[in-house]
Amino acid sequence: MHLRFSQDIKLLLQQLSQQPLTIGNVLNITSERGFSLVMVLLVLPFLFPMPPGLTGPFGGACFLLSVQMALGRKTPWLPRQIANYKFPRNFAQVLLKNLHRVTRIVEKITRPRWQKLAQNSFTWRLNGLCIAWLCILLISPVPLTNPFPTIAILILAISTLESDGLLMGIGYFLTILVTLLFVFIGYGLWVAPSILPNIFK
């Protein structure tokens, strides 16, 4: 199966060999698909050690795109300062190669399914809303939690790109689980100040 996701990654790798890659380049190359593809590019690094200073900008840009989806916008837009951001060449090469590996896994588990659901305008907005919420959790200062919202965002973004309604359902389920995890952690942090003094008495 040759997915649009695979074709986009191959095209971006070819572009990177010729010139520096910017977020604006990705949006121009992929058009409407740029929503999902740029989100994948922006959040995938959260699965690995991130270069310093990129967490806020990457998470913020992903949040901005997801809000546009939630509002029903079909053409992605980013402020010029963000759109002109150039991925460091070595970082971009590693990022796209990791995406290529992800593609091999994705090709085994996704295909167009439940397309009436997947291609519905309400579903488009719902996916944007879920991703926006997950971005808030992603950039929240809770240690060691980045992979959880990242995986949910990746699944929602890829399922949107490939019109896979079944995979979207899994993404919604993971969104609920991740939310419950953060609620549990938040409750633990709120209770901890009153528990810790008793433990060390």
Side-chain angles (χ1 to χ4, degrees):
M1 186 183 301
H2 200 53
L3 303 178
R4 289 176 294 172
F5 186 61
S6 306
Q7 296 167 345
D8 289 332
I9 298 305
K10 183 177 180 180
L11 181 59
L12 290 173
L13 282 169
Q14 291 172 348
Q15 289 285 327
L16 181 61
S17 66
Q18 300 169 6
Q19 61 184 9
L21 184 67
T22 69
I23 295 177
N25 292 150
V26 179
L27 292 176
N28 291 334
I29 292 169
T30 56
S31 187
E32 180 181 320
R33 301 192 313 281
F35 270 112
S36 300
L37 186 60
V38 171
M39 287 178 189
V40 172
L41 282 171
L42 290 171
V43 302
L44 187 69
F46 287 93
L47 292 176
F48 311 99
M50 282 277 283
L54 294 183
T55 301
F58 276 32
C62 186
F63 175 77
L64 183 57
L65 288 173
S66 61
V67 168
Q68 292 175 51
M69 282 183 66
L71 294 174
R73 187 181 175 95
K74 294 292 184 177
T75 305
W77 173 86
L78 285 173
R80 182 177 298 177
Q81 186 175 3
I82 297 177
N84 290 339
Y85 171 79
K86 291 183 179 180
F87 291 96
R89 184 173 291 272
N90 291 338
F91 177 67
Q93 287 175 339
V94 171
L95 179 58
L96 289 175
K97 286 178 181 177
N98 284 329
L99 265 180
H100 192 61
R101 295 189 185 100
V102 169
T103 302
R104 295 178 185 175
I105 300 172
V106 169
E107 287 179 335
K108 296 177 182 179
I109 63 174
T110 188
R111 60 182 181 273
R113 290 177 288 201
W114 301 0
Q115 289 183 282
K116 287 186 178 180
L117 169 66
Q119 297 176 353
N120 187 283
S121 59
F122 173 77
T123 303
W124 174 266
R125 291 171 179 264
L126 179 60
N127 290 351
L129 185 63
C130 289
I131 293 173
W133 169 243
L134 290 165
C135 285
I136 292 173
L137 298 180
L138 180 62
I139 60 180
S140 63
V142 181
L144 305 177
T145 58
N146 281 352
F148 303 112
T150 298
I151 291 171
I153 292 171
L154 288 174
I155 289 176
L156 285 171
I158 292 170
S159 62
T160 300
L161 185 62
E162 300 300 334
S163 298
D164 188 342
L166 178 59
L167 192 62
M168 282 181 194
I170 295 172
Y172 299 147
F173 179 69
L174 286 177
T175 301
I176 294 171
L177 286 182
V178 171
T179 300
L180 291 175
L181 172 65
F182 274 77
V183 169
F184 177 77
I185 293 173
Y187 178 74
L189 292 174
W190 179 68
V191 172
S194 61
I195 292 178
L196 290 176
N198 294 328
I199 293 176
F200 292 102
K201 279 184 178 179

